[in-house]
Amino acid sequence: MAEPSQSPTQVRDSENELAEDQVRDTEAQPEEVPQPKRGDRIRKQTEKGKEMQDKKIKPLQQRFNYIYQKWRTQVKSAKQPLSQSSEPLAYSLLHDIIGDTRGLCADVQRVYEELRGVTTPDHDMRRRVDRCVEISSLIVSKASSEWEDARGRRTRLARCKLSLELKCE
């Protein structure tokens, strides 16, 4: 610990200095931000560049809005038969609901990713994509369970018919 030649006050002073050095080392570790070199300049987009970027963004936003509205229409039309399912739905209807909902949801996500490649989309657009994914997964799961229920009912019905035919013979 301390050498015999040092006095107790010297030992305390050296321990205090060590503790202070450790505190300074932990506090004095700022993140190093690279400074631009002397000849470098900060890049700013020119007016022409902004115009060109806007020309890329506008059609993507229009396409996103169009596909999103198409998806919303599909979801509204799919909810009606799924919520009013007092009787089994046809396989073809369930197949169409599942395929159309998945396809349009994938289209919405694809256009969103294309838009992200050009610029940072706003939060509203991200929220719309999240909503699209969530609602689509709910509709697909509900339609899939209806599909399985209908398949099970038809299988039971076929078995009953077969057993009745065997009994009649």
Side-chain angles (χ1 to χ4, degrees):
M1 181 163 135
E3 295 178 17
S5 63
Q6 292 181 338
S7 69
T9 55
Q10 288 176 338
V11 171
R12 275 187 253 132
D13 288 340
S14 65
E15 288 176 356
N16 286 340
E17 286 175 10
L18 285 173
E20 288 174 3
D21 286 343
Q22 288 176 350
V23 169
R24 263 189 258 125
D25 287 344
T26 57
E27 290 177 355
Q29 293 178 353
E31 296 179 22
E32 294 182 22
V33 178
Q35 297 293 326
K37 294 180 183 176
R38 189 171 191 183
D40 288 346
R41 63 179 177 87
I42 297 174
R43 306 191 105 192
K44 294 182 182 177
Q45 198 171 27
T46 62
E47 289 181 32
K48 185 73 171 179
K50 287 178 186 178
E51 287 176 18
M52 291 176 67
Q53 188 176 22
D54 289 343
K55 285 182 181 179
K56 287 180 183 178
I57 293 171
K58 189 174 181 178
L60 285 172
Q61 286 177 334
Q62 288 174 341
R63 200 164 87 210
F64 176 84
N65 290 331
Y66 174 76
I67 293 173
Y68 184 78
Q69 289 304 318
K70 199 172 171 182
W71 170 81
R72 283 187 63 188
T73 304
Q74 165 61 29
V75 166
K76 285 179 183 178
S77 67
K79 276 185 181 180
Q80 187 178 12
L82 288 174
S83 63
Q84 299 172 353
S85 61
S86 58
E87 59 185 54
L89 298 173
Y91 281 132
S92 60
L93 177 63
L94 291 171
H95 185 268
D96 289 344
I97 288 172
I98 292 170
D100 292 346
T101 304
R102 280 184 179 163
L104 288 171
C105 181
D107 289 345
V108 167
Q109 289 175 318
R110 185 178 41 77
V111 173
Y112 177 77
E113 289 300 321
E114 288 176 19
L115 193 59
R116 279 187 62 198
V118 177
T119 186
T120 304
D122 58 350
H123 294 291
D124 183 51
M125 194 172 286
R126 179 71 227 168
R127 185 179 49 77
R128 290 165 77 186
V129 171
D130 290 341
R131 183 184 309 148
C132 172
V133 170
E134 282 298 313
I135 292 174
S136 293
S137 67
L138 289 173
I139 289 194
V140 167
S141 67
K142 183 155 181 142
S144 296
S145 68
E146 287 282 331
W147 176 287
E148 292 299 321
D149 290 347
R151 198 168 102 198
R153 279 187 242 134
R154 288 193 175 115
T155 304
R156 286 191 302 274
L157 182 63
R159 287 182 189 154
C160 287
K161 283 183 180 179
L162 181 62
S163 67
L164 288 175
E165 288 175 3
L166 291 175
K167 288 180 183 178
C168 292
E169 292 178 354

XYZ file of all heavy atoms in Angstrom, residues 44-117:
611
model
N -24.639 20.495 -49.496
C -26.026 20.935 -49.490
C -26.608 20.633 -50.854
O -25.920 20.763 -51.874
C -26.139 22.432 -49.215
C -25.700 22.837 -47.843
C -25.893 24.320 -47.638
C -25.401 24.747 -46.282
N -25.523 26.192 -46.103
N -27.875 20.269 -50.860
C -28.519 19.952 -52.120
C -28.911 21.241 -52.837
O -29.431 22.177 -52.228
C -29.757 19.096 -51.862
C -30.232 18.375 -53.072
C -31.315 17.368 -52.730
O -32.028 17.532 -51.757
N -31.432 16.349 -53.538
N -28.654 21.270 -54.123
C -28.991 22.450 -54.904
C -30.472 22.462 -55.235
O -31.178 21.480 -55.024
C -28.194 22.469 -56.224
O -28.559 21.316 -56.987
C -26.693 22.450 -55.954
N -30.939 23.571 -55.760
C -32.348 23.667 -56.143
C -32.677 22.635 -57.218
O -33.729 22.007 -57.184
C -32.661 25.072 -56.650
C -32.670 26.111 -55.564
C -33.002 27.488 -56.105
O -33.767 27.582 -57.083
O -32.495 28.461 -55.540
N -31.784 22.475 -58.166
C -32.000 21.502 -59.236
C -32.051 20.083 -58.654
O -32.878 19.267 -59.055
C -30.878 21.622 -60.276
C -31.044 20.770 -61.479
C -32.119 21.317 -62.373
C -32.120 20.564 -63.686
N -33.143 21.012 -64.586
N -31.183 19.802 -57.711
C -31.190 18.492 -57.061
C -32.476 18.240 -56.303
O -33.018 17.138 -56.309
N -32.976 19.276 -55.617
C -34.242 19.147 -54.891
C -35.391 18.892 -55.862
O -36.276 18.089 -55.577
C -34.519 20.409 -54.081
C -33.633 20.552 -52.864
C -33.929 21.839 -52.126
C -32.931 22.033 -50.989
N -33.141 23.290 -50.281
N -35.385 19.582 -56.985
C -36.428 19.372 -57.995
C -36.401 17.939 -58.520
O -37.448 17.307 -58.672
C -36.262 20.348 -59.158
C -36.628 21.774 -58.848
C -36.336 22.704 -60.021
O -36.173 22.214 -61.166
O -36.271 23.920 -59.791
N -35.207 17.440 -58.778
C -35.075 16.076 -59.287
C -35.535 15.066 -58.240
O -36.202 14.074 -58.569
C -33.635 15.807 -59.718
C -33.234 16.580 -60.957
S -31.518 16.365 -61.405
C -31.494 14.661 -61.869
N -35.209 15.306 -56.988
C -35.640 14.400 -55.932
C -37.162 14.447 -55.776
O -37.801 13.420 -55.588
C -34.961 14.747 -54.610
C -35.234 13.728 -53.529
C -34.490 14.013 -52.253
O -34.089 15.147 -52.005
N -34.309 12.990 -51.439
N -37.734 15.632 -55.871
C -39.188 15.761 -55.789
C -39.863 15.029 -56.937
O -40.940 14.450 -56.768
C -39.607 17.232 -55.784
C -39.261 17.933 -54.477
O -39.004 17.229 -53.480
O -39.250 19.188 -54.458
N -39.237 15.032 -58.117
C -39.789 14.310 -59.266
C -39.787 12.805 -59.018
O -40.638 12.085 -59.530
C -39.012 14.631 -60.543
C -39.312 15.983 -61.119
C -38.541 16.224 -62.408
C -38.847 17.615 -62.956
N -38.099 17.882 -64.193
N -38.827 12.326 -58.237
C -38.791 10.903 -57.894
C -39.793 10.581 -56.788
O -40.424 9.534 -56.792
C -37.393 10.505 -57.399
C -36.346 10.434 -58.465
C -35.020 10.019 -57.841
C -33.908 9.997 -58.846
N -32.620 9.640 -58.218
N -39.929 11.484 -55.830
C -40.763 11.237 -54.653
C -42.249 11.288 -54.987
O -43.020 10.434 -54.539
C -40.434 12.254 -53.536
C -39.024 12.022 -53.019
C -41.426 12.162 -52.394
C -38.534 13.107 -52.085
N -42.654 12.275 -55.766
C -44.078 12.488 -56.017
C -44.771 11.268 -56.615
O -45.818 10.847 -56.106
C -44.275 13.718 -56.908
C -45.716 14.136 -57.026
C -45.853 15.433 -57.783
C -47.315 15.824 -57.867
N -47.488 17.093 -58.561
N -44.237 10.624 -57.681
C -44.926 9.439 -58.203
C -44.968 8.281 -57.209
O -45.950 7.534 -57.150
C -44.133 9.051 -59.449
C -43.145 10.098 -59.685
C -43.116 11.005 -58.503
N -43.908 8.141 -56.410
C -43.904 7.071 -55.407
C -44.971 7.314 -54.342
O -45.654 6.382 -53.919
C -42.532 6.949 -54.760
C -41.441 6.299 -55.611
C -40.082 6.413 -54.924
C -41.768 4.857 -55.893
N -45.112 8.562 -53.914
C -46.142 8.875 -52.925
C -47.538 8.660 -53.504
O -48.419 8.135 -52.819
C -45.993 10.314 -52.438
C -44.824 10.502 -51.505
C -44.647 11.949 -51.081
O -45.036 12.871 -51.783
N -44.030 12.137 -49.927
N -47.719 9.040 -54.764
C -49.017 8.832 -55.403
C -49.325 7.343 -55.518
O -50.448 6.907 -55.260
C -49.052 9.489 -56.786
C -49.103 10.999 -56.731
C -48.993 11.633 -58.108
O -48.542 11.012 -59.069
N -49.397 12.893 -58.199
N -48.315 6.565 -55.913
C -48.509 5.118 -56.030
C -48.797 4.492 -54.667
O -49.652 3.616 -54.535
C -47.282 4.476 -56.676
C -47.594 3.121 -57.258
C -46.530 2.672 -58.212
N -45.504 1.985 -57.446
C -44.234 1.939 -57.764
N -43.794 2.532 -58.836
N -43.373 1.283 -57.027
N -48.089 4.961 -53.634
C -48.334 4.461 -52.288
C -49.770 4.751 -51.875
O -50.465 3.870 -51.371
C -47.364 5.103 -51.289
C -47.627 4.692 -49.862
C -47.112 3.510 -49.367
C -48.414 5.480 -49.024
C -47.368 3.111 -48.066
C -48.677 5.100 -47.726
C -48.143 3.917 -47.239
N -50.220 5.993 -52.073
C -51.589 6.363 -51.683
C -52.617 5.552 -52.456
O -53.622 5.111 -51.884
C -51.820 7.858 -51.890
C -51.044 8.692 -50.890
O -50.774 8.264 -49.782
N -50.664 9.891 -51.294
N -52.387 5.330 -53.752
C -53.317 4.556 -54.568
C -53.412 3.109 -54.073
O -54.509 2.582 -53.869
C -52.882 4.586 -56.032
C -53.703 3.686 -56.914
C -54.978 4.044 -57.303
C -53.195 2.462 -57.347
C -55.744 3.221 -58.101
C -53.947 1.631 -58.152
C -55.221 2.010 -58.529
O -55.972 1.181 -59.311
N -52.265 2.478 -53.851
C -52.258 1.077 -53.398
C -52.822 0.971 -51.982
O -53.547 0.021 -51.666
C -50.838 0.484 -53.491
C -50.426 0.372 -54.960
C -50.762 -0.887 -52.840
C -48.991 -0.039 -55.174
N -52.532 1.950 -51.136
C -53.064 1.926 -49.775
C -54.590 2.026 -49.797
O -55.275 1.305 -49.060
C -52.457 3.059 -48.941
C -52.898 3.041 -47.504
C -52.332 2.141 -46.608
C -53.886 3.894 -47.042
C -52.736 2.104 -45.281
C -54.298 3.866 -45.723
C -53.720 2.974 -44.850
O -54.132 2.936 -43.543
N -55.131 2.902 -50.631
C -56.595 3.020 -50.743
C -57.204 1.734 -51.299
O -58.270 1.301 -50.868
C -56.984 4.224 -51.607
C -56.714 5.558 -50.953
C -57.388 5.709 -49.607
O -58.539 5.320 -49.429
N -56.666 6.266 -48.645
N -56.513 1.142 -52.258
C -56.976 -0.135 -52.821
C -56.993 -1.207 -51.731
O -57.933 -2.001 -51.641
C -56.031 -0.532 -53.960
C -56.567 -1.530 -54.911
C -55.580 -1.667 -56.079
C -55.950 -2.806 -56.966
N -54.999 -2.975 -58.063
N -55.964 -1.235 -50.903
C -55.899 -2.185 -49.788
C -57.040 -1.937 -48.802
O -57.682 -2.882 -48.340
C -54.544 -2.066 -49.083
C -54.503 -2.835 -47.799
C -54.283 -4.164 -47.641
C -54.744 -2.319 -46.489
N -54.362 -4.498 -46.310
C -54.638 -3.391 -45.600
C -55.025 -1.052 -45.998
C -54.804 -3.213 -44.227
C -55.198 -0.878 -44.635
C -55.084 -1.975 -43.772
N -57.294 -0.660 -48.473
C -58.379 -0.340 -47.537
C -59.723 -0.821 -48.063
O -60.540 -1.365 -47.316
C -58.442 1.167 -47.288
C -57.368 1.640 -46.340
C -57.553 3.069 -45.981
N -58.813 3.234 -45.270
C -59.329 4.408 -44.954
N -58.708 5.509 -45.292
N -60.470 4.486 -44.313
N -59.955 -0.633 -49.366
C -61.206 -1.090 -49.973
C -61.317 -2.607 -49.869
O -62.379 -3.140 -49.546
C -61.268 -0.651 -51.452
O -61.099 0.766 -51.510
C -62.572 -1.041 -52.088
N -60.216 -3.305 -50.126
C -60.194 -4.763 -50.040
C -60.504 -5.221 -48.618
O -61.270 -6.153 -48.406
C -58.829 -5.301 -50.494
C -58.532 -6.738 -50.124
C -59.511 -7.719 -50.730
O -60.072 -7.479 -51.778
N -59.693 -8.844 -50.061
N -59.913 -4.560 -47.646
C -60.124 -4.936 -46.249
C -61.581 -4.727 -45.855
O -62.184 -5.577 -45.182
C -59.164 -4.143 -45.328
C -59.573 -4.248 -43.881
C -57.745 -4.641 -45.506
N -62.148 -3.608 -46.262
C -63.559 -3.348 -45.931
C -64.469 -4.406 -46.546
O -65.413 -4.868 -45.907
C -63.962 -1.956 -46.409
C -63.410 -0.856 -45.545
C -63.804 0.506 -46.067
C -63.170 1.598 -45.234
N -63.489 2.945 -45.745
N -64.175 -4.772 -47.804
C -65.013 -5.782 -48.446
C -64.768 -7.174 -47.852
O -65.655 -8.021 -47.880
C -64.787 -5.790 -49.955
O -63.486 -6.230 -50.260
N -63.583 -7.428 -47.310
C -63.280 -8.726 -46.708
C -63.869 -8.850 -45.304
O -64.242 -9.951 -44.886
C -61.774 -8.939 -46.661
N -63.966 -7.749 -44.594
C -64.484 -7.793 -43.222
C -65.956 -8.195 -43.190
O -66.373 -8.918 -42.283
C -64.334 -6.427 -42.556
C -62.992 -6.174 -41.959
C -63.011 -4.845 -41.236
C -61.672 -4.525 -40.628
N -61.699 -3.234 -39.939
N -66.696 -7.729 -44.152
C -68.140 -7.976 -44.140
C -68.472 -9.467 -44.126
O -69.171 -9.927 -43.227
C -68.800 -7.269 -45.315
C -70.299 -7.345 -45.283
C -70.917 -6.578 -46.437
O -70.229 -6.186 -47.360
N -72.219 -6.377 -46.367
N -68.015 -10.286 -45.088
C -68.382 -11.706 -45.028
C -67.740 -12.443 -43.843
O -68.329 -13.378 -43.307
C -67.899 -12.278 -46.354
C -66.968 -11.303 -46.919
C -67.276 -9.977 -46.307
N -66.556 -12.001 -43.429
C -65.903 -12.681 -42.302
C -66.612 -12.402 -40.984
O -66.663 -13.269 -40.111
C -64.438 -12.264 -42.202
C -63.511 -12.811 -43.282
C -62.125 -12.200 -43.137
C -63.435 -14.318 -43.226
N -67.159 -11.211 -40.821
C -67.836 -10.894 -39.566
C -69.265 -11.432 -39.536
O -69.815 -11.669 -38.475
C -67.840 -9.380 -39.335
O -68.578 -8.739 -40.350
N -69.858 -11.640 -40.701
C -71.231 -12.144 -40.767
C -71.237 -13.607 -41.193
O -72.025 -14.015 -42.032
C -72.045 -11.319 -41.765
C -72.142 -9.869 -41.411
C -72.779 -9.058 -42.519
O -73.032 -9.553 -43.600
N -73.029 -7.799 -42.236
N -70.363 -14.392 -40.616
C -70.223 -15.774 -41.056
C -71.132 -16.702 -40.253
O -70.672 -17.516 -39.469
C -68.765 -16.218 -40.951
O -68.347 -16.145 -39.618
N -72.445 -16.578 -40.453
C -73.372 -17.498 -39.797
C -73.364 -18.839 -40.516
O -73.641 -19.871 -39.935
C -74.781 -16.909 -39.775
O -75.210 -16.643 -41.094
N -73.029 -18.800 -41.795
C -72.910 -20.035 -42.569
C -71.504 -20.087 -43.163
O -70.848 -19.061 -43.305
C -73.956 -20.085 -43.677
C -73.869 -18.922 -44.648
C -75.004 -18.959 -45.640
O -76.158 -19.018 -45.204
O -74.703 -18.946 -46.842
N -71.035 -21.273 -43.500
C -69.670 -21.383 -44.022
C -69.506 -20.631 -45.342
O -70.405 -20.616 -46.178
C -69.464 -22.880 -44.228
C -70.729 -23.555 -43.866
C -71.697 -22.558 -43.385
N -68.359 -20.014 -45.479
C -68.051 -19.272 -46.699
C -67.459 -20.217 -47.738
O -66.862 -21.240 -47.405
C -67.068 -18.143 -46.395
C -67.554 -17.086 -45.415
C -66.429 -16.133 -45.069
C -68.729 -16.323 -45.992
N -67.593 -19.837 -48.977
C -67.068 -20.664 -50.064
C -65.538 -20.632 -50.051
O -64.931 -19.615 -49.693
C -67.593 -20.144 -51.395
N -64.950 -21.751 -50.455
C -63.490 -21.821 -50.530
C -62.933 -20.742 -51.436
O -61.919 -20.119 -51.134
C -63.035 -23.184 -51.065
C -63.064 -24.292 -50.055
C -63.643 -25.508 -50.357
C -62.478 -24.148 -48.814
C -63.663 -26.549 -49.450
C -62.487 -25.173 -47.881
C -63.083 -26.371 -48.213
O -63.088 -27.380 -47.313
N -63.579 -20.529 -52.564
C -63.057 -19.545 -53.521
C -63.070 -18.144 -52.924
O -62.128 -17.365 -53.127
C -63.872 -19.571 -54.814
O -65.226 -19.258 -54.555
N -64.109 -17.801 -52.166
C -64.167 -16.491 -51.527
C -63.060 -16.350 -50.487
O -62.358 -15.328 -50.445
C -65.529 -16.263 -50.871
C -65.695 -14.945 -50.113
C -65.556 -13.768 -51.056
C -67.022 -14.915 -49.395
N -62.877 -17.364 -49.665
C -61.814 -17.321 -48.651
C -60.444 -17.244 -49.312
O -59.566 -16.502 -48.862
C -61.906 -18.540 -47.737
C -63.117 -18.585 -46.817
C -63.211 -19.933 -46.127
C -63.062 -17.461 -45.805
N -60.258 -17.996 -50.376
C -58.988 -17.975 -51.102
C -58.723 -16.585 -51.670
O -57.597 -16.070 -51.589
C -59.007 -19.031 -52.217
C -57.708 -19.151 -52.924
N -57.424 -18.423 -54.048
C -56.618 -19.907 -52.662
C -56.201 -18.718 -54.455
N -55.699 -19.623 -53.633
N -59.748 -15.961 -52.243
C -59.602 -14.615 -52.796
C -59.285 -13.596 -51.703
O -58.434 -12.719 -51.889
C -60.870 -14.191 -53.534
C -61.070 -14.946 -54.837
O -60.094 -15.574 -55.320
O -62.200 -14.911 -55.371
N -59.965 -13.710 -50.572
C -59.720 -12.779 -49.462
C -58.269 -12.882 -49.001
O -57.576 -11.873 -48.845
C -60.692 -13.046 -48.290
C -62.098 -12.589 -48.667
C -60.220 -12.358 -47.013
C -63.162 -12.972 -47.656
N -57.809 -14.104 -48.798
C -56.438 -14.306 -48.307
C -55.427 -13.804 -49.333
O -54.501 -13.046 -49.000
C -56.191 -15.789 -47.965
C -57.021 -16.180 -46.742
C -54.715 -16.047 -47.704
C -57.044 -17.672 -46.461
N -55.595 -14.196 -50.587
C -54.631 -13.815 -51.622
C -54.591 -12.320 -51.884
O -53.512 -11.719 -51.970
N -55.765 -11.710 -51.996
C -55.821 -10.270 -52.277
C -55.263 -9.454 -51.116
O -54.519 -8.483 -51.327
C -57.255 -9.836 -52.573
C -57.775 -10.397 -53.886
O -56.969 -10.898 -54.694
O -59.011 -10.344 -54.094
N -55.598 -9.840 -49.907
C -55.127 -9.086 -48.740
C -53.613 -9.198 -48.608
O -52.930 -8.182 -48.395
C -55.814 -9.598 -47.458
O -57.231 -9.522 -47.632
C -55.414 -8.773 -46.259
N -53.088 -10.395 -48.744
C -51.627 -10.564 -48.665
C -50.923 -9.811 -49.776
O -49.899 -9.153 -49.557
C -51.260 -12.039 -48.754
C -51.431 -12.792 -47.476
C -50.961 -14.216 -47.634
N -51.105 -14.959 -46.400
C -51.091 -16.276 -46.331
N -50.937 -17.001 -47.422
N -51.225 -16.877 -45.174
N -51.450 -9.920 -50.991
C -50.812 -9.273 -52.135
C -50.782 -7.758 -52.020
O -49.743 -7.123 -52.257
N -51.917 -7.168 -51.640
C -51.962 -5.709 -51.518
C -51.114 -5.217 -50.354
O -50.475 -4.161 -50.446
C -53.410 -5.238 -51.376
C -54.234 -5.337 -52.662
C -55.702 -5.068 -52.376
C -53.710 -4.380 -53.709
N -51.077 -5.962 -49.273
C -50.227 -5.587 -48.143
C -48.749 -5.619 -48.563
O -47.984 -4.712 -48.228
C -50.466 -6.512 -46.958
S -49.486 -6.113 -45.511
N -48.358 -6.633 -49.306
C -46.980 -6.721 -49.792
C -46.672 -5.560 -50.742
O -45.559 -5.006 -50.712
C -46.749 -8.054 -50.495
N -47.646 -5.176 -51.574
C -47.447 -4.035 -52.477
C -47.246 -2.739 -51.700
O -46.373 -1.929 -52.042
C -48.638 -3.881 -53.423
C -48.704 -4.985 -54.471
O -47.695 -5.705 -54.648
O -49.772 -5.127 -55.101
N -48.042 -2.543 -50.650
C -47.901 -1.344 -49.818
C -46.504 -1.305 -49.207
O -45.824 -0.270 -49.231
C -48.992 -1.304 -48.721
C -48.680 -0.262 -47.659
C -50.353 -1.038 -49.327
N -46.047 -2.429 -48.685
C -44.716 -2.482 -48.066
C -43.608 -2.252 -49.099
O -42.626 -1.566 -48.822
C -44.508 -3.829 -47.383
C -45.341 -3.992 -46.139
C -45.197 -5.383 -45.556
O -45.190 -6.370 -46.271
N -45.098 -5.448 -44.235
N -43.769 -2.811 -50.287
C -42.754 -2.662 -51.327
C -42.610 -1.202 -51.760
O -41.497 -0.680 -51.863
C -43.094 -3.545 -52.526
C -42.035 -3.543 -53.620
C -42.382 -4.466 -54.774
N -43.773 -4.457 -55.176
C -44.362 -3.487 -55.905
N -43.672 -2.447 -56.275
N -45.636 -3.584 -56.235
N -43.741 -0.527 -51.988
C -43.693 0.878 -52.396
C -43.117 1.734 -51.272
O -42.353 2.671 -51.526
C -45.096 1.376 -52.821
C -45.085 2.862 -53.087
C -45.566 0.640 -54.058
N -43.436 1.402 -50.034
C -42.874 2.130 -48.899
C -41.347 1.983 -48.875
O -40.633 2.960 -48.653
C -43.477 1.629 -47.588
C -42.880 2.281 -46.365
C -43.247 3.577 -46.009
C -41.947 1.627 -45.584
C -42.693 4.189 -44.907
C -41.394 2.227 -44.481
C -41.768 3.515 -44.140
O -41.205 4.121 -43.048
N -40.856 0.779 -49.115
C -39.406 0.569 -49.140
C -38.750 1.327 -50.295
O -37.641 1.857 -50.143
C -39.076 -0.928 -49.226
C -39.383 -1.694 -47.955
C -38.612 -1.195 -46.748
O -37.421 -0.840 -46.880
O -39.219 -1.145 -45.664
N -39.420 1.386 -51.442
C -38.893 2.169 -52.555
C -38.808 3.644 -52.173
O -37.831 4.325 -52.498
C -39.775 2.014 -53.795
C -39.671 0.669 -54.462
C -40.627 0.525 -55.639
O -41.100 1.554 -56.170
O -40.910 -0.625 -56.018
N -39.815 4.118 -51.500
C -39.840 5.508 -51.062
C -38.741 5.773 -50.039
O -38.105 6.837 -50.061
C -41.212 5.837 -50.480
C -41.546 7.296 -50.251
C -41.467 8.080 -51.558
C -42.932 7.433 -49.667
N -38.496 4.804 -49.173
C -37.404 4.950 -48.196
C -36.054 5.029 -48.866
O -35.124 5.639 -48.334
C -37.405 3.764 -47.223
C -38.401 3.894 -46.119
C -38.262 2.809 -45.115
N -36.951 2.853 -44.485
C -36.413 1.839 -43.817
N -37.079 0.713 -43.686
N -35.239 1.949 -43.272
N -35.920 4.403 -50.038
C -34.652 4.471 -50.768
C -34.355 5.860 -51.295
O -33.201 6.226 -51.503
